[in-house]
């Protein structure tokens, strides 16, 4: 097992603290019931201004699988480049708070189960979640959404009384 699933909590998940640096993945938007695109924001803080890439793949049979998607299944902003066995998306230059962001969009109609990624700093630095890849399990997003809907419904009922 080379992956470490990371849970979602109220629409956001914190992936890892790497020394003084951090990686966060936030759920920006969820698809409506008719399908659409799930949007995540991958935020890297404290890594400095050197070239850094999101090196990623998706899982079709399981969240832990790593295959290279086509653009109708998944895409990033800025756009990803195809490299052997993965896609790579360059993180933009850091802002004034030393924060860099990549937007990851997943087409729910593609029935993907998850997405794995590592960070790559050239020439040979690979940043992982400990000894494992970062893993976004899309079923956890759905479970989190159901939970949030129940909470919203319960608070609506409570305020209606």
């Amino acid at each position: 097992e080379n992956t470490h699933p990371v849970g979602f909590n109220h629409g956001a998940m914190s992936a890892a603290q790497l020394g003084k640096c951090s990686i966060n993945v936030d759920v920006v938007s969820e698809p409506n019931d008719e399908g659409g695109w799930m949007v995540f924001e991958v935020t890297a803080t404290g890594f400095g201004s050197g070239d850094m890439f999101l090196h990623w793949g998706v899982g079709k049979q399981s969240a832990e699988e790593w295959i290279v998607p086509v653009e109708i299944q998944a895409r990033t902003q800025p756009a990803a480049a195809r490299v052997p066995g993965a896609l790579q998306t360059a993180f933009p230059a850091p802002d004034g708070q030393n924060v860099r962001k990549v937007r990851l969009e997943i087409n729910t109609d593609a029935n993907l189960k998850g997405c794995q990624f590592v960070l790559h700093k050239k020439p040979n630095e690979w940043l992982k979640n400990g000894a494992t890849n970062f893993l976004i399990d899309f079923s956890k997003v759905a479970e989190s959404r159901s939970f949030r809907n129940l909470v919203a419904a319960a608070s609506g009922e409570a305020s209606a009384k």
Side-chain angles (χ1 to χ4, degrees):
E1 176 94 340
N2 67 342
T3 60
H4 179 72
V6 187
F8 290 85
N9 184 14
H10 303 290
M13 87 170 166
S14 223
Q17 190 73 29
L18 303 168
K20 293 181 179 177
C21 305
S22 66
I23 305 296
N24 292 300
V25 179
D26 294 300
V27 181
V28 175
S29 70
E30 299 169 32
N32 57 30
D33 294 333
E34 291 83 49
W37 293 81
M38 226 179 337
V39 179
F40 301 92
E41 194 165 70
V42 180
T43 304
T45 305
F47 288 92
S49 59
D51 289 347
M52 189 165 76
F53 300 86
L54 185 74
H55 183 88
W56 61 284
V58 297
K60 184 114 172 120
Q61 303 301 320
S62 71
E64 292 81 14
E65 183 183 27
W66 182 301
I67 60 172
V68 182
V70 293
E71 198 168 326
I72 57 168
Q73 294 174 312
R75 60 190 183 213
T76 56
Q77 292 177 16
R82 192 170 288 270
V83 297
L87 289 177
Q88 280 190 353
T89 306
F91 277 90
D95 65 14
Q97 281 75 47
N98 203 7
V99 173
R100 309 166 87 162
K101 294 182 180 185
V102 165
R103 180 182 171 103
L104 172 65
E105 301 175 356
I106 304 295
N107 186 343
T108 54
D109 293 335
N111 294 316
L112 298 173
K113 303 282 193 272
C115 175
Q116 287 190 65
F117 68 90
V118 296
L119 300 182
H120 177 47
K121 293 178 84 176
K122 295 197 172 185
N124 295 313
E125 193 174 353
W126 298 91
L127 304 168
K128 296 182 164 196
N129 192 8
T132 62
N133 296 339
F134 296 100
L135 172 68
I136 305 170
D137 183 336
F138 301 149
S139 70
K140 301 285 191 259
V141 179
E143 289 167 14
S144 176
R145 179 178 56 188
S146 300
F147 176 75
R148 288 193 308 276
N149 289 345
L150 285 172
V151 169
S155 10
E157 289 168 14
S159 61
K161 290 180 181 172

